[in-house]
Amino acid sequence: MNLNDFSFTIEDMAAASAASTNPYLADPAKGLELITHLVAHPPTGKTGSQWTQLECLHKLIHSSYVNLAARDNYPAEALAYRDLQTLEASLEDMVIFPDLANKTVIGVGGGFSAGKSRFLNTLVGTMLLPEALEPTTAIPTFLT
């Protein structure tokens, strides 16, 4: 694996390495304010053709398909409905998280101070995530 496999530039890595502290970690009140804002005001912006198409798909699956299935005796009706819901969720994820579409997502988990950030920093070859004995990356973080 080389650094060209990642979507950040060498300049981005240098800037991340040069940053001495995360302002949200250095000031707990500022960090709590950010978390409160993100929870209280989730990004909306459900406009545009992709969201319109997703709304049409939602109506087709949850209204039209259900009404049609009620009139027919299709033996695999429940399995087909579940598959349609799974497909809808996948398409919605692609619209919400376009940067993660068609990417392999690898989750890294572990206990408190288990070395997750150090492992990822070592993997990418730079100090991207903060490392400390106290919790520093408690919010889910995506590196692309």
Side-chain angles (χ1 to χ4, degrees), residues 55-141:
E55 288 173 7
C56 289
L57 179 64
H58 182 81
K59 288 176 187 173
L60 281 171
I61 293 170
H62 299 283
S63 182
S64 300
Y65 176 78
V66 171
N67 291 337
L68 179 66
R71 293 184 293 177
D72 194 15
N73 192 13
Y74 179 50
E77 170 188 327
L79 292 174
Y81 185 62
R82 187 191 67 201
D83 290 344
L84 288 170
Q85 287 178 314
T86 302
L87 175 64
E88 179 188 18
S90 296
L91 291 172
E92 187 173 336
D93 285 345
M94 288 177 64
V95 171
I96 294 172
F97 305 108
D99 293 338
L100 298 179
N102 300 320
K103 300 254 169 64
T104 301
V105 178
I106 300 171
V108 177
F112 165 72
S113 194
K116 299 174 293 293
S117 294
R118 178 165 289 181
F119 167 73
L120 291 170
N121 286 339
T122 303
L123 186 67
V124 297
T126 188
M127 182 76 174
L128 237 98
L129 298 171
E131 300 173 13
L133 291 177
E134 64 276 350
T136 56
T137 51
I139 299 171
T141 305

